[in-house]
């Protein structure tokens, strides 16, 4: 049954005697409201004024403040002198383009208003397979970064582009005269046009070398694939074709080999016709993939290698010796046997940084004839070579590099041996950094050359082989920037613009297809053929993996966080404030450690009285490199003997002070291996996290997460696994939904909006959270305010842990305890429920209740219900009583404590003119003292209705969207008109898995969820 499992959101909730956790459950505002700050008056306090006079004084003040709050700021607009033909004021334009920044990639549509890009949407045209993740959605804000490099600089002084051009040409001529080496250091080049320009450049500079460097390397997987298939690329797996998925250390729902696998994965995770895929995960850190898995086994990296060899033995019939504990081996054998039985419907992936391990992955998938594994349409987004980068460092150290051109890389920050690079850079005659900001590398280079944001640039990209995508500018360059390719054209003596060059080069790819159509669609699919495998000694590879040695001491496993990635957008406040899906911490990176290791080392986490999370500091030492005062998070599911740490933080250059947070874990990324031997020691002091984990909790209020197993789902009626809450009516038990305090009005005519959320498909990726920020002008409040439970997210993704055992099983186990020794061991085992929990994600926003408790308590009718099912907010009526927040059982209303717009106390994008260009003019920017919340994107639903009306047609069945549903690539969120029986949401509303959050309260929400089914 769904109601007897034990759930918790933080480890502290396992302590039944914690008064702080209980207080957080019961109190909406856990800190005392600072009335003295805005009502205090020394003269009043010291006077002998009567109580009646005091009330008059307060009453007048309240009225004055209310009147002032209702006025709000007024900005006069200036009309066009000559209005551009393509811009219609008030009407959005959309441009299809592609993003690839060396780490993230997607096929997208860019929404512009009056010439300003303001939002990223997913391109859903056929062939556009890669949707925007949270970082891509946030990249539109990075366009308006006021700390971008605005002018070229030579030796730290402003210069013109002609001076830059002349200096580079002079350096190249000098290098040719002296036979000096010219090196181009770039991130992976996935552009056919750029690759052609580089080839032309190489032909004109004989002593030339092109070095490809990825900050987060996939070199071992590339090396393995190249040795088998002769091409340096990565497999583009299609998880929708698999009924069984086994992952050994690969967070494929995160950033593993570029990510973007969640859509295909989710297709197999929704139970249809009694079937769904099964997923085994073997890993060290708790990841998004581990959270989604049906069976997750936490292992050290050494044990993962042994497990991979054992799987290889069973699938291909080999007999290589492995070293595994009996209990772990039993689980590995089960997974391997099921994988072999699945045959072509099975697939294995691995994130181990080991060429031999990656060879075993290829061998296993070939032995299975896996349909999800195809060598046609390989990924072209990772090409870096660890060996070549190491050789470049050696050449620079020896003074063998004359001219170094760098584009899309920041090795001074991202290289583990950054000091060696800096030392070598001083020996380079001329160094040029083409960068969007004056970052750590650009600031040390001879020339800092500003490049445009991808939304200001032309280009082409081949994300996967056979799929050609175009980039087009959506705004004129804001600053005096030049594309790297334009400079290459000048150095090559190539005439014309880069647009002309791309268009000319595209003809050889798109053939007879129209350039305008490809530009309109954003991509062209040509297709590609599968590669043939060469002869490889897989047995030798298996023996090498089996013979690998464990690291001495503890393992450090480096990873990239969902919000920050490789750190390119560290100055983006949307991403800094985005709570990590698993730890729920924002504005920080940290060391994650298991509960057992934390106790051994003396590390703790504690939720304090104001709801904030505090944690110990640790000193982390790897290969003699010591990072001090690293915050610690005790992470359920972390493998014992391992710790995790995210790269992408600790940047200092070209960042606002508020964004310069965390520690630089790239310093520990030695030899591009994400696993290192580490010594972790407790340090003094206590770190204050901005963690939303203990805030706005719904625990203790009935069924929040409903889940069952596939077996129960298939064999028992819905009333068993989707139990309906019951209440007493006339001394009889009846379903809670049949009892009501209010008369319902007729909602069957016109549009009535519902939002469906499938817990099986939600991976916790957070794209919806950032999309909501962009669409609805949600403010960033900063670390201090988040810690005070004052975050302004209109949409949150709650993360729940649960034990394997149910409440009923716990009771039975306790009753069967025999003797003192048995009781001690049994209770100790039961207290370790957090060691490897199951995980569930649940997006929660305003539920838009048809019988909304917030509406009945608002004294000024600021919140009311519309016929279309949306709960409205009239901001200019709201006087900030917060009664609605106190009466909301879902804790989804946010009180706007401060004026976040044009306020130097909140120095984020809303505090400068450039940053405010991202604001959506269809949604007003709220002033202080009002309640705000999810509006179910009423501006979007009304635009859809008006567009259909203007075009003289009815709204299409699935035309309605909200920001979150449009951003959800996994299909977990489906929005639409429930009165249109042809719409997807109407059919989902009839599903047996459908339930409402806190249904027993009787609010009748317009958001509904689907029971989570686990294929255990």
């Amino acid at each position: 049954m769904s109601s007897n499992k034990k759930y918790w959101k933080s480890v502290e909730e396992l302590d039944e005697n914690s008064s702080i956790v209980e207080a957080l459950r019961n109190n909406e505002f856990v800190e005392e409201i600072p009335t003295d700050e805005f009502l205090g008056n020394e003269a009043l306090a010291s006077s002998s004024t009567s109580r009646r006079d005091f009330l008059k004084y307060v009453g007048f003040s309240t009225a004055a403040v209310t009147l002032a709050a209702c006025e709000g700021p007024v900005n006069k607009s200036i009309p066009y002198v000559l209005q551009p033909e393509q811009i219609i004021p008030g009407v959005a334009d959309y441009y299809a383009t592609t993003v690839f920044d060396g780490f993230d990639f997607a096929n997208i549509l860019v929404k512009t208003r009056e010439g300003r890009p303001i939002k990223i949407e997913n391109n859903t045209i056929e062939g556009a397979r890669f949707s925007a993740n949270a970082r891509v959605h946030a990249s539109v804000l990075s366009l308006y970064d006021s700390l971008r490099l605005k002018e070229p600089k030579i030796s730290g002084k402003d210069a013109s582009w002609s001076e830059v051009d002349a200096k580079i040409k002079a350096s190249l001529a000098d290098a040719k005269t002296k036979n000096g080496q010219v090196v181009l250091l770039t991130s992976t080049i996935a552009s056919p046009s750029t690759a052609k320009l580089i080839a032309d450049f190489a032909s004109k500079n004989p002593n030339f070398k092109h070095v490809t460097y990825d900050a987060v390397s996939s070199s071992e997987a590339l090396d393995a694939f190249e040795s088998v298939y002769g091409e340096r690329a990565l497999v583009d797996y299609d998880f929708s074709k698999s009924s069984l998925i086994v992952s050994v250390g690969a967070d494929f729902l995160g950033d593993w080999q570029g990510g973007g696998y969640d859509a295909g994965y989710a297709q197999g995770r929704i139970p249809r016709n009694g079937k769904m895929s099964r997923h085994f995960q073997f890993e060290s850190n708790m990841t998004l993939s581990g959270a989604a898995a049906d069976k997750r086994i936490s292992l050290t990296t050494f044990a993962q290698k042994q497990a991979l060899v054992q799987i290889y033995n069973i699938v291909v019939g080999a007999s290589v010796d492995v070293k595994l504990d009996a209990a772990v081996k039993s689980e590995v054998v089960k997974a391997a046997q099921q994988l072999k039985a699945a045959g072509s419907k099975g697939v294995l992936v691995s994130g181990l940084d080991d060429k031999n391990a990656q060879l075993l992955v290829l061998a296993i998938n070939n032995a299975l004839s896996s349909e999800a594994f195809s060598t046609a349409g390989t990924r072209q987004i990772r090409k870096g070579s660890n060996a070549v980068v190491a050789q470049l460092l050696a050449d620079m150290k020896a003074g063998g590099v004359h001219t170094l051109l760098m584009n899309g890389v920041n090795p001074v920050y991202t290289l583990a041996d950054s000091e060696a690079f800096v030392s070598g850079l001083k020996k380079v005659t001329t160094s040029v950094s083409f960068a969007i900001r004056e970052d750590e590398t650009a600031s040390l280079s001879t020339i800092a050359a500003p490049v445009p944001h991808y939304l200001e640039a032309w280009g082409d990209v081949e994300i996967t082989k056979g799929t050609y995508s175009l980039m087009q500018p959506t705004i004129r360059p804001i600053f005096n920037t030049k594309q790297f390719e334009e400079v290459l054209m000048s150095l090559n003596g190539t005439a014309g613009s880069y647009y002309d060059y791309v268009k000319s080069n595209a003809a050889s790819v798109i053939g007879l297809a129209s350039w305008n159509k490809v530009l309109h669609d954003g991509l062209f699919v040509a297709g590609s053929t599968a590669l043939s495998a060469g002869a490889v000694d897989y047995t030798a590879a298996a023996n090498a993996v089996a013979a690998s040695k464990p690291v001495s001491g503890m393992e450090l496993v480096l990873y990239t966080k969902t919000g920050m990635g490789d750190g390119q957008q560290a100055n983006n406040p949307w991403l800094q404030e985005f709570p990590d899906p698993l730890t729920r911490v924002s504005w920080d990176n940290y060391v994650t450690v298991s509960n057992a290791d934390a106790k051994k080392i003396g590390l703790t986490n504690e939720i304090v009285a104001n709801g904030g999370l505090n944690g110990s500091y640790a000193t982390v030492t790897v290969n003699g490199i010591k990072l001090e005062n690293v915050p610690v998070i005790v992470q359920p599911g972390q493998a014992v003997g391992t710790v995790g740490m995210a790269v992408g933080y600790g940047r200092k250059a070209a960042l606002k002070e508020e964004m310069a947070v965390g520690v630089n874990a790239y310093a520990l990324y030695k030899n591009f291996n994400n696993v290192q031997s580490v010594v972790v020691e407790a340090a003094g002091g206590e770190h204050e996290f901005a963690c939303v984990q203990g805030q706005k909790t719904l625990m203790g209020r009935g069924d929040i997460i409903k889940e069952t197993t596939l077996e129960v789902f298939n064999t028992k009626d819905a009333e068993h696994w989707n139990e309906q809450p019951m209440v007493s009516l006339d001394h009889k038990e009846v379903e809670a939904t049949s009892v009501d305090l209010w008369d319902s009005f007729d909602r069957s005519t016109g549009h009535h909006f519902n939002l469906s959320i499938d817990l099986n498909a939600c991976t916790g990726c957070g794209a919806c959270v950032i999309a909501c920020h962009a669409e609805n002008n949600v403010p960033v409040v900063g670390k201090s305010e988040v810690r005070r439970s004052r975050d302004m997210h209109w949409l949150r993704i709650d993360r729940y842990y649960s034990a394997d055992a149910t409440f009923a099983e716990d009771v039975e186990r306790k009753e069967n305890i025999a003797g003192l020794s048995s009781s001690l061991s049994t209770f100790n085992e039961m207290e370790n429920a957090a060691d490897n929990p199951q995980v569930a994600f649940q997006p929660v926003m305003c539920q838009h209740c048809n019988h909304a408790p917030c509406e009945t308590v608002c004294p000024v009718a600021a919140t009311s219900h519309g016929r279309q099912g949306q709960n409205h907010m009239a901001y200019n009526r709201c006087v900030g009583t917060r009664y609605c927040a106190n009466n909301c059982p879902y804790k989804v209303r946010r009180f706007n404590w401060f004026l976040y717009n044009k306020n130097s106390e909140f120095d984020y994008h809303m505090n400068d003119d450039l940053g405010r260009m991202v604001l959506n003019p269809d949604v007003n920017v709220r002033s202080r003292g009002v309640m705000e919340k999810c509006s179910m994107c009423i501006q979007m639903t009304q635009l859809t209705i008006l567009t259909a009306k203007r075009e003289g047609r009815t709204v299409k069945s699935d035309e309605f969207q909200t920001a979150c549903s449009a951003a959800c690539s996994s299909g977990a969120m489906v929005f639409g008109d429930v009165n249109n029986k042809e719409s997807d949401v109407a059919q989902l509303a009839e599903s047996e898995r459908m339930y409402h959050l806190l249904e027993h309260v009787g609010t009748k929400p317009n958001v509904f969820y689907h029971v989570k089914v686990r294929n255990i």
Side-chain angles (χ1 to χ4, degrees):
M1 293 174 64
S2 59
S3 60
N4 61 359
K5 285 192 73 174
K6 186 174 185 177
Y7 294 93
W8 67 94
K9 292 178 71 178
S10 60
V11 176
E12 286 74 12
E13 290 192 39
L14 295 175
D15 183 1
E16 296 179 356
N17 299 318
S18 173
S19 59
I20 290 176
V21 171
E22 190 61 30
L24 293 175
R25 287 177 177 173
N26 297 328
N27 295 344
E28 177 70 16
F29 302 104
V30 293
E31 278 195 338
E32 184 178 350
I33 296 173
T35 53
D36 290 344
E37 292 180 16
F38 51 85
L39 287 181
N41 186 294
E42 292 181 5
L44 180 66
S46 61
S47 70
S48 57
T49 308
S50 69
R51 179 175 178 273
R52 178 174 294 181
D53 290 336
F54 171 78
L55 292 175
K56 286 180 182 177
Y57 177 87
V58 174
F60 171 77
S61 300
T62 305
V65 170
T66 303
L67 288 172
C70 290
E71 290 182 1
V74 175
N75 293 302
K76 296 181 179 178
S77 18
I78 302 172
Y80 290 107
V81 178
L82 293 173
Q83 180 180 324
E85 290 182 10
Q86 66 270 31
I87 294 179
I88 303 174
V91 177
D93 291 312
Y94 291 84
Y95 297 89
T97 189
T98 307
V99 55
F100 176 59
D101 60 8
F103 190 76
D104 290 313
F105 51 90
N107 305 115
I108 57 175
L109 300 177
V110 183
K111 178 183 179 182
T112 67
R113 281 294 302 269
E114 288 73 56
R116 296 177 296 112
I118 63 171
K119 190 166 184 288
I120 303 298
E121 304 275 6
N122 289 325
N123 188 346
T124 57
I125 197 168
E126 186 178 356
R129 294 180 46 244
F130 298 104
S131 300
N133 59 22
R135 296 185 297 269
V136 172
H137 277 287
S139 65
V140 68
L141 180 58
S142 295
L143 169 67
Y144 303 114
D145 185 351
S146 59
L147 294 185
R148 282 176 57 187
L149 187 56
K150 301 174 179 63
E151 297 280 349
K153 290 187 176 183
I154 299 178
S155 300
K157 297 180 180 179
D158 289 347
S160 66
W161 277 106
S162 59
E163 291 173 314
V164 168
D165 200 47
K167 190 167 182 65
I168 296 175
K169 286 179 177 177
S171 181
L172 293 173
D174 188 49
K176 192 175 293 185
T177 302
K178 297 176 179 177
N179 197 30
Q181 190 178 58
V182 177
V183 176
L184 174 61
L185 177 64
T186 70
S187 58
T188 294
I189 298 294
S191 164
S193 294
T194 306
K196 185 178 179 182
L197 278 173
I198 293 173
D200 292 344
F201 183 77
S203 67
K204 292 176 170 59
N205 295 276
N207 198 7
F208 171 79
K209 182 187 289 185
H210 180 203
V211 178
T212 301
Y213 163 54
D214 296 319
V216 179
S217 176
S218 296
S219 185
E220 303 295 337
L222 290 163
D223 292 344
F225 190 85
E226 187 175 20
S227 66
V228 176
Y229 295 100
E231 178 184 308
R232 195 164 183 79
L234 298 172
V235 177
D236 185 32
Y237 293 90
D238 186 353
F239 291 101
S240 67
K241 296 179 179 178
S242 290
S243 62
L244 188 77
I245 301 163
V246 177
S247 170
V248 182
D251 182 18
F252 58 87
L253 296 181
D255 294 328
W256 174 75
Q257 295 186 5
Y261 292 113
D262 47 348
Y265 174 80
Q267 288 183 39
R269 298 299 291 169
I270 299 173
R272 295 186 178 93
N273 301 319
K275 296 180 180 180
M276 63 179 284
S277 64
R278 178 173 289 175
H279 174 192
F280 290 89
Q281 185 82 10
F282 301 92
E283 63 182 11
S284 304
N285 298 339
M286 174 67 83
T287 67
L288 292 182
S289 301
D294 296 303
K295 185 69 175 179
R296 178 185 181 273
I297 310 296
S298 55
L299 299 175
T300 64
T301 305
F302 168 74
Q304 290 173 39
K305 290 182 178 180
Q306 302 300 311
L308 182 61
V309 176
Q310 181 65 49
I311 295 170
Y312 172 78
N313 283 342
I314 292 174
V315 172
V316 305
S319 56
V320 180
D321 290 335
V322 297
K323 297 178 280 292
L324 279 173
D325 292 338
V328 172
K329 188 172 184 178
S330 173
E331 295 292 346
V332 173
V333 168
K334 286 179 188 175
Q337 289 173 341
Q338 292 183 38
L339 181 64
K340 185 176 183 179
S344 63
K345 291 297 182 182
V347 67
L348 179 135
V349 293
S350 177
L352 295 171
D353 277 344
D354 184 307
K355 179 181 176 180
N356 290 313
Q358 294 299 329
L359 285 172
L360 296 187
V361 173
L362 302 177
I364 291 168
N365 285 313
N366 280 325
L368 294 170
S369 299
S370 173
E371 294 178 17
F373 174 92
S374 173
T375 57
T378 52
R379 291 192 172 198
Q380 306 295 305
I381 46 84
R382 295 283 191 276
K383 294 291 181 72
S385 169
N386 297 345
V388 176
V389 173
Q391 184 59 50
L392 171 63
L393 282 174
D395 292 345
M396 290 173 66
K397 184 179 179 181
V401 177
H402 182 282
T403 303
L404 177 63
L405 307 178
M406 296 172 283
N407 179 56
V409 294
N410 185 9
V412 174
Y413 165 65
T414 58
L415 265 179
D417 201 0
S418 136
E419 290 182 5
F421 184 86
V422 173
S423 176
L425 195 63
K426 293 175 182 177
K427 298 178 182 180
V428 174
T429 304
T430 305
S431 56
V432 186
S433 178
F434 293 89
I436 196 168
R437 298 174 187 83
E438 194 173 5
D439 55 30
E440 290 81 355
T441 303
S443 61
L444 296 179
S445 300
T446 310
I447 300 173
V451 296
H453 190 271
Y454 76 90
L455 293 175
E456 303 169 310
W458 284 102
D460 55 5
V461 182
E462 192 176 30
I463 297 175
T464 57
K465 196 173 183 180
T467 302
Y468 181 75
S469 306
L470 287 176
M471 297 169 58
Q472 63 172 315
T474 57
I475 187 173
R476 293 187 64 180
I478 297 173
F479 302 118
N480 184 18
T481 57
K482 252 190 185 181
Q483 284 187 247
F484 165 67
E485 290 83 358
E486 291 180 274
V487 177
L488 271 187
M489 289 178 68
S490 174
L491 298 177
N492 291 343
T494 306
S497 66
Y498 186 54
Y499 164 78
D500 295 328
Y501 190 89
V502 172
K503 184 176 180 180
S504 174
N505 198 45
S508 62
V509 180
I510 64 176
L512 298 177
S514 162
W515 162 262
N516 286 339
K517 185 179 188 310
V518 175
L519 186 61
H520 171 273
D521 295 347
L523 71 151
F524 173 80
V525 180
S528 64
T529 56
L531 301 171
S532 299
V536 177
D537 188 350
Y538 292 115
T539 303
N543 284 319
V545 176
S548 60
K549 304 294 183 184
V551 301
S552 59
M554 298 186 74
E555 283 184 358
L556 169 67
V557 183
L558 298 170
Y559 68 100
T560 55
K561 279 181 71 171
T562 304
M564 198 50 59
D566 65 348
Q568 289 187 53
Q569 297 190 75
N571 205 40
N572 191 309
W574 285 350
L575 294 177
Q576 289 283 8
E577 192 146 299
F578 171 70
D580 181 77
L582 290 162
T583 64
R584 310 294 289 129
V585 172
S586 58
W587 293 100
D588 259 316
N589 68 336
Y590 33 76
V591 167
T592 57
V593 60
S594 68
N595 189 45
D597 287 329
K599 289 179 179 178
K600 189 185 303 180
I601 301 170
L603 305 171
T604 60
N605 281 158
E606 178 188 14
I607 294 182
V608 294
N610 70 347
L613 178 71
N614 288 4
S616 301
Y617 282 115
T619 301
V620 178
T621 307
V622 175
N623 300 313
I625 298 172
K626 184 177 291 188
L627 298 181
E628 297 182 339
N629 294 329
V630 182
V632 173
I633 288 288
V634 180
Q635 175 63 58
Q638 183 77 34
V640 176
T642 71
V643 296
M645 194 172 179
V647 298
Y649 286 81
R651 290 190 58 185
K652 304 297 179 187
L655 259 69
K656 287 188 176 182
E657 183 180 352
E658 292 82 0
M659 259 69 83
V661 296
V663 293
N664 184 7
Y666 277 118
L668 311 178
Y669 192 30
K670 185 180 179 182
N671 297 326
F672 300 97
N673 194 328
N674 70 332
V675 179
Q676 301 288 337
S677 173
V678 66
V679 176
V680 181
E681 301 168 294
E686 199 171 50
H687 185 76
E688 295 185 347
F689 288 103
C691 179
V692 297
Q693 186 54 48
Q695 304 165 2
K696 306 177 183 71
T697 177
L698 300 183
M699 292 305 299
R701 300 192 181 193
D703 280 332
I704 308 297
I705 299 287
K706 287 190 178 184
E707 62 178 353
T708 186
T709 65
L710 184 62
E711 181 185 2
V712 172
F713 177 75
N714 287 334
T715 58
K716 297 193 176 181
D717 294 335
E719 62 185 19
H720 180 85
W721 47 263
N722 188 8
E723 185 180 10
Q724 297 303 306
M726 309 295 285
V727 296
S728 176
L729 179 66
D730 296 332
H731 306 290
K732 296 179 181 177
E733 270 204 342
V734 297
E735 288 189 3
T737 52
S738 66
V739 181
D740 215 328
L741 295 176
W742 296 275
D743 292 331
S744 295
F745 62 85
D746 182 14
R747 297 189 292 269
S748 61
T749 57
H751 302 295
H752 192 82
F753 299 119
N754 273 200
L755 176 63
S756 166
I757 302 175
D758 196 325
L759 301 183
N760 263 54
C762 179
T763 63
C765 72
C768 54
V769 175
I770 303 298
C772 177
H773 262 277
E775 176 66 30
N776 295 297
N777 301 333
V778 177
V780 173
V781 302
K783 181 176 181 178
S784 177
E785 293 299 297
V786 171
R787 182 172 167 82
R788 287 181 169 88
S789 187
R790 294 177 181 172
D791 68 286
M792 297 299 293
H793 293 102
W794 284 13
L795 163 62
R796 69 177 190 265
I797 302 179
D798 287 339
R799 184 267 296 124
Y800 291 99
Y801 296 131
S802 61
D804 289 330
T806 63
F807 279 139
E809 289 169 346
D810 285 346
V811 172
E812 182 181 353
R813 193 172 179 187
K814 283 187 287 186
E815 289 177 348
N816 290 333
I817 290 175
L820 177 61
S821 60
S822 174
S823 67
L824 292 175
S825 61
T826 302
F827 280 118
N828 282 335
E829 289 172 8
M830 293 175 72
E831 286 176 2
N832 288 330
D835 285 350
N836 189 24
Q838 292 179 343
V839 185
F841 295 109
Q842 184 176 56
V844 180
M845 66 293 290
C846 174
Q847 302 291 290
H848 295 272
C849 312
N850 288 313
H851 293 164
C854 56
E855 297 170 13
T856 59
V857 295
C858 182
V860 291
T863 180
S864 59
H865 209 69
R867 174 167 285 275
Q868 294 176 344
Q870 291 147 314
N871 180 277
H872 298 167
M873 277 298 303
Y875 296 121
N876 61 342
R877 293 184 64 90
C878 179
V879 294
T881 62
R882 301 188 301 279
Y883 294 165
C884 55
N886 287 326
N887 219 39
C888 175
Y890 306 103
K891 298 190 177 182
V892 289
R893 288 174 167 262
R894 305 287 178 262
F895 183 63
N896 200 320
W897 288 91
F898 300 101
L899 179 66
Y900 302 110
N901 182 39
K902 299 182 183 179
N903 187 344
S904 59
E905 294 294 321
F906 301 91
D907 192 17
Y908 309 111
H909 67 289
M910 285 190 181
N911 192 41
D912 62 68
D913 291 336
L914 185 62
R916 284 193 294 274
M917 286 180 70
V918 82
L919 295 177
N920 182 0
D922 293 332
V923 180
N924 67 339
V925 178
R926 281 75 63 189
S927 190
R928 68 170 296 177
V930 301
M931 271 296 181
E932 55 181 88
K933 65 167 191 68
C934 160
S935 65
M936 209 175 263
C937 291
I938 190 170
Q939 71 279 3
M940 293 179 68
T941 56
Q942 290 305 108
L943 176 63
T944 302
I945 293 169
L946 292 173
T947 300
K949 185 177 181 180
R950 187 176 67 249
E951 295 175 359
R953 59 176 177 82
T954 57
V955 179
K956 298 172 186 174
S957 59
D958 291 306
E959 190 174 356
F960 287 113
Q961 289 284 8
T962 57
C964 57
S965 66
C968 184
S969 57
S970 68
M973 291 182 172
V974 178
F975 178 79
D977 180 6
V978 76
N979 286 341
N980 183 341
K981 299 308 177 185
E982 295 181 2
S983 67
D984 289 343
V985 76
Q987 295 169 34
L988 289 168
E990 301 299 322
S991 168
E992 288 186 323
R993 289 201 296 132
M994 187 276 286
Y995 76 97
H996 292 104
L997 196 58
L998 303 181
E999 201 153 27
H1000 58 280
V1001 178
T1003 55
K1004 299 190 181 301
N1006 283 313
V1007 178
F1008 58 86
Y1009 296 82
H1010 292 267
V1011 174
K1012 186 175 182 66
V1013 181
R1014 297 186 187 272
N1015 191 359
I1016 299 175

